[in-house]
């Protein structure tokens, strides 16, 4: 007796089943791709970075900076949209940094997640000045 499972034996293995990619996966890909661009100091607003610094010092909260801070995405079955909040280095052309971030994020998400990126919206919320001290959280981690 043969049971019909709906799978043709000659069907390509890649077409058997469904792949779901969680939003957090695309957030991490986009966050890493944005941070790789020269001129990007950090992602997230000053408040978000401060809260992240506090959260990182809490026991059991995980180690390292949050890759998804300052990143928000909407992921569908075929497409994705990305929103980023950046802090850029003083002296770099912001429009050039934004264009490079957009290009890098689109390339990374489309290559790794297989989703067409329909838009990458960028908000520059701050500029890192040369005479600004290091973030308190980063400074404390070095002193420990």
């Amino acid at each position: 007796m043969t049971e019909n499972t709906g799978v043709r034996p000659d069907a390509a293995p890649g077409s058997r089943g469904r792949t779901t990619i969680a939003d957090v996966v695309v957030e991490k890909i986009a966050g890493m791709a944005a941070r790789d661009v020269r001129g990007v100091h950090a992602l997230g607003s000053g408040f978000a970075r401060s809260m992240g610094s506090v959260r990182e010092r809490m026991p059991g909260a995980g180690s390292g900076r949050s890759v998804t801070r300052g990143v928000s995405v909407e992921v569908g079955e075929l497409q994705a949209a990305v929103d980023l909040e950046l802090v850029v280095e003083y002296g770099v052309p912001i429009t050039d940094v934004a264009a490079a971030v957009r290009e890098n994020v689109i390339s990374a998400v489309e290559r790794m997640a297989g989703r067409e990126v329909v838009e990458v919206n960028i908000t520059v919320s701050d500029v890192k000045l040369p005479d600004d001290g290091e973030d308190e959280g980063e400074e404390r981690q070095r002193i420990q």
Side-chain angles (χ1 to χ4, degrees):
M1 182 165 142
T2 307
E3 184 178 321
N4 185 359
T5 61
V7 176
R8 294 187 353 215
D10 60 337
S15 66
R16 298 181 193 175
R18 193 175 106 196
T19 302
T20 303
I21 299 175
D23 289 5
V24 70
V25 172
V26 176
E27 285 177 349
K28 287 181 178 183
I29 293 168
M32 291 300 294
R35 281 180 176 82
D36 283 346
V37 174
R38 188 168 181 260
V40 173
H41 174 72
L43 270 66
S45 66
F47 179 74
R49 291 192 322 270
S50 296
M51 291 307 296
S53 176
V54 169
R55 207 174 20 253
E56 288 166 3
R57 284 183 253 139
M58 294 173 66
S63 60
R65 293 186 301 177
S66 173
V67 176
T68 61
R69 186 181 309 139
V71 182
S72 175
V73 300
E74 292 179 36
V75 182
E77 288 187 34
L78 302 173
Q79 298 177 325
V82 180
D83 294 322
L84 299 168
E85 189 171 358
L86 304 179
V87 177
V88 298
E89 299 284 343
Y90 176 79
V92 298
I94 293 173
T95 55
D96 292 351
V97 171
V101 166
R102 210 171 260 114
E103 184 178 324
N104 212 33
V105 167
I106 290 170
S107 174
V109 171
E110 288 184 348
R111 180 176 44 85
M112 295 177 69
R115 300 296 187 265
E116 175 192 8
V117 178
V118 293
E119 64 183 9
V120 176
N121 299 310
I122 297 172
T123 300
V124 177
S125 62
D126 203 357
V127 174
K128 169 69 169 78
L129 300 174
D131 59 343
D132 282 352
E134 292 292 322
D135 291 336
E136 281 185 39
E138 291 175 3
E139 205 169 289
R140 287 185 183 154
Q141 287 177 356
R142 282 186 285 166
I143 294 172
Q144 293 177 12

